[in-house]
Amino acid sequence: MAKPVQYNNRLGMKGWWGGRYGLERWAYFLHRLTGLVIVLYLILHIFVTSARVFGPEAWEATMGAVGGPVFRFLEYLLIAAITYHGFNGLRLIFIEWFGWSLGRPRRPIYPYVTSLHHQRPLLIGMMILAFLFLVFSAWGFLTP
Amino acid sequence: MTGGTPKPLVDVDMDRVVQTTTFRVFRYNGTGDPPTYKDYEVPTKRGMTVLDGLLWIKENLDGSLSYRASCRMGVCGSCAMMINGKPRLACQTQILDLQTSVVVVEPLKNYPVVKDLVPALDQLFEKHEAVKPYVMRPGEEDELENPSGEFEQSPEELDEFIQFTYCIKCGICLAACPTVASDPLFLGPQALAQAYRYVADTRDTAYAERCDLVDTAHGVWRCHYAGACTEACPKGVDPAFAIQLLKKKVFQHRVLGKKRKVARVAPKPTGVSRRPNVPEPPARTVKSD
């Protein structure tokens, strides 16, 4: 008889995708994605600004290379990522440290009302704040 | 009143086949061969659940199909599986409610597959065990073994955690959790919710011990409130809620040094006597070693 072998069914990073779940899981996906973007940017940032070590000419040349409109737009996307990560992170701190907006434990009687329903106004409010923040920064950033 | 057969309350023929549903079932033979999907045509009646469909397939089309099921009424938690991409209990999911003619049935994600729709749930039970899911009173073991009375707990104190005692260990939340998907060591929604259940229980005095137990690299802080576990939970346990409350408790314990109320053993009533018609309780049948 063949030896039994178990099939590995773990989703891995594919499992971060929001799929058919609710808003909070999409918020989780974006939070992870923007977190990775910020870490990657940090490495890039240190690499680019290290040109300063090679004298003023090297610095000017590097700044000229990353100063075009394409990079300006990419920088704006970076601001969008940081803004999202910051506002969503604030929401998570409110929820995790202080238990705000979650309601109280309740007996599970069908149809179930969960803490997710309770905190959704906080999520939507934070996203509106992030959006307003981005509109204002677009003003200064994308206008010449 | 006149005689004759009474009119049925709902005028629906429950035995009529209303659609033919294609069950696209994940098949894995348990020997390392790549898994395949096999289609079965299932005549579907009103009220038929996905589990009914699988039973029908096993009886009529393919006896080699393996799955777990027992109570067929949402209590035992055996028949958890991925149904159209979401983890659900097969016995609580009606085929017609899915509003599709193709039902994709797969084993729970994030668990190794033993055969077909049977996942190996070892990690679920190991993680559950790791948070010590029982009332602990360090230093009062004798009171737990030979109780001299009951612990005093108010209904309000019970309401703080009773929601989380409804867990049936079906493992659906671990299949829904995005963190479990990429971090095999993460304790997961089920175990953490049970940790909170005992952290919030005033009868338990190992508050600090359990807070330290979950305050690790793969513990409570790996959760970022994606809420998928809560959305998927078939019993309304709301594990994501329990984990956030647990984080709050760990924060209070670690940063603010806060302690929790402890239930005392209720004192024996004095100045009263037993009614003569109420018999004494029987002697203990469980031997303590």
Side-chain angles (χ1 to χ4, degrees):
Chain A
M1 208 181 104
K3 201 173 165 282
V5 180
Q6 292 185 348
Y7 173 71
N8 180 14
N9 204 19
R10 191 173 291 281
L11 282 167
M13 277 164 69
K14 271 188 298 176
W16 295 358
W17 182 247
R20 305 178 66 180
Y21 292 93
L23 271 183
E24 287 74 19
R25 186 151 168 183
W26 282 100
Y28 172 100
F29 170 68
L30 276 179
H31 200 76
R32 288 235 144 159
L33 192 71
T34 52
L36 286 177
V37 165
I38 293 165
V39 169
L40 286 178
Y41 171 74
L42 181 70
I43 297 164
L44 197 71
H45 177 68
I46 292 169
F47 182 74
V48 169
T49 48
S50 66
R52 181 67 191 80
V53 177
F54 305 104
E57 296 79 27
W59 170 255
E60 288 300 330
T62 320
M63 283 299 108
V66 296
V70 175
F71 277 94
R72 209 152 167 78
F73 181 69
L74 286 178
E75 259 182 327
Y76 181 70
L77 286 187
L78 178 74
I79 292 222
I82 293 172
T83 306
Y84 172 80
H85 200 84
F87 277 98
N88 194 47
L90 271 180
R91 174 181 76 100
L92 290 177
I93 288 174
F94 292 156
I95 287 175
E96 295 179 356
W97 292 8
F98 312 116
W100 287 358
S101 80
L102 294 171
R104 296 189 64 77
R106 30 189 110 59
R107 307 243 169 180
I109 296 164
Y110 198 81
Y112 306 129
V113 178
T114 66
S115 63
L116 294 178
H117 300 97
H118 232 266
Q119 66 78 51
R120 199 153 285 169
L122 176 67
L123 171 64
I124 293 169
M126 279 298 184
M127 290 307 102
I128 290 172
L129 279 180
F131 179 75
L132 290 178
F133 191 89
L134 279 179
V135 169
F136 278 112
S137 53
W139 201 318
F141 224 87
L142 298 180
T143 48
Chain B
M1 281 286 284
T2 51
T5 36
K7 201 169 173 274
L9 285 174
V10 184
D11 194 14
V12 173
D13 182 5
M14 297 296 279
D15 288 327
R16 188 163 61 90
V17 172
V18 287
Q19 82 172 35
T20 303
T21 313
T22 306
F23 270 56
R24 190 154 294 155
V25 183
F26 180 100
R27 300 300 307 266
Y28 173 67
N29 64 8
T31 56
D33 295 337
T36 53
Y37 285 85
K38 201 168 171 190
D39 284 6
Y40 302 96
E41 302 294 323
V42 178
T44 310
K45 300 170 186 172
R46 272 178 224 280
M48 222 171 128
T49 62
V50 173
L51 180 60
D52 291 333
L54 292 173
L55 285 160
W56 191 88
I57 293 170
K58 194 166 172 80
E59 271 174 33
N60 299 289
L61 300 178
D62 190 346
S64 71
L65 178 65
S66 300
Y67 49 86
R68 262 197 215 109
S70 180
C71 78
R72 50 99 185 93
M73 54 190 195
V75 175
C76 74
S78 299
C79 64
M81 52 188 75
M82 306 297 291
I83 297 167
N84 281 1
K86 272 189 132 177
R88 310 174 212 244
L89 291 182
C91 65
Q92 281 197 162
T93 310
Q94 294 196 11
I95 299 169
L96 295 178
D97 279 353
L98 295 168
Q99 297 187 336
T100 154
S101 58
V102 181
V103 177
V104 183
V105 189
E106 296 160 309
L108 279 183
K109 295 287 182 195
N110 301 336
Y111 297 95
V113 182
V114 178
K115 185 178 181 290
D116 298 344
L117 302 172
V118 180
L121 297 174
D122 307 43
Q123 51 154 328
L124 171 75
F125 299 127
E126 279 161 17
K127 286 169 180 175
H128 185 212
E129 217 181 326
V131 299
K132 306 189 175 176
Y134 34 82
V135 170
M136 292 196 289
R137 288 181 80 96
E140 292 177 83
E141 284 79 8
D142 192 52
E143 177 60 35
L144 287 179
E145 278 301 319
N146 304 296
S148 62
E150 55 188 295
F151 294 124
E152 262 180 359
Q153 188 169 57
S154 69
E156 290 75 25
E157 286 163 0
L158 177 68
D159 276 344
E160 288 297 310
F161 67 85
I162 186 121
Q163 175 174 24
F164 312 115
T165 64
Y166 283 78
C167 174
I168 56 171
K169 288 101 195 160
C170 60
I172 277 180
C173 48
L174 272 77
C177 177
T179 304
V180 171
S182 58
D183 180 5
L185 298 174
F186 175 49
L187 279 171
Q190 193 277 333
L192 290 172
Q194 291 315 299
Y196 178 72
R197 178 244 173 281
Y198 287 96
V199 160
D201 190 338
T202 51
R203 295 170 298 178
D204 185 281
T205 59
Y207 174 73
E209 185 188 336
R210 221 176 250 110
C211 279
D212 295 340
L213 203 67
V214 295
D215 186 18
T216 57
H218 297 280
V220 71
W221 302 106
R222 279 284 161 128
C223 164
H224 308 298
Y225 199 47
C229 51
T230 291
E231 216 181 304
C233 179
K235 303 304 281 184
V237 168
D238 206 345
F241 187 21
I243 301 171
Q244 308 323 305
L245 294 174
L246 182 61
K247 285 175 187 167
K248 186 178 155 187
K249 292 273 188 199
V250 171
F251 177 70
Q252 288 177 344
H253 162 65
R254 275 290 165 100
V255 181
L256 310 176
K258 218 169 151 180
K259 290 195 167 57
R260 200 211 50 213
K261 195 196 152 185
V262 169
R264 58 172 189 163
V265 179
K268 283 246 156 56
T270 50
V272 288
S273 55
R274 197 179 193 89
R275 277 190 209 164
N277 57 343
V278 177
E280 289 288 329
R284 272 184 72 140
T285 50
V286 181
K287 276 187 197 139
S288 56
D289 38 37

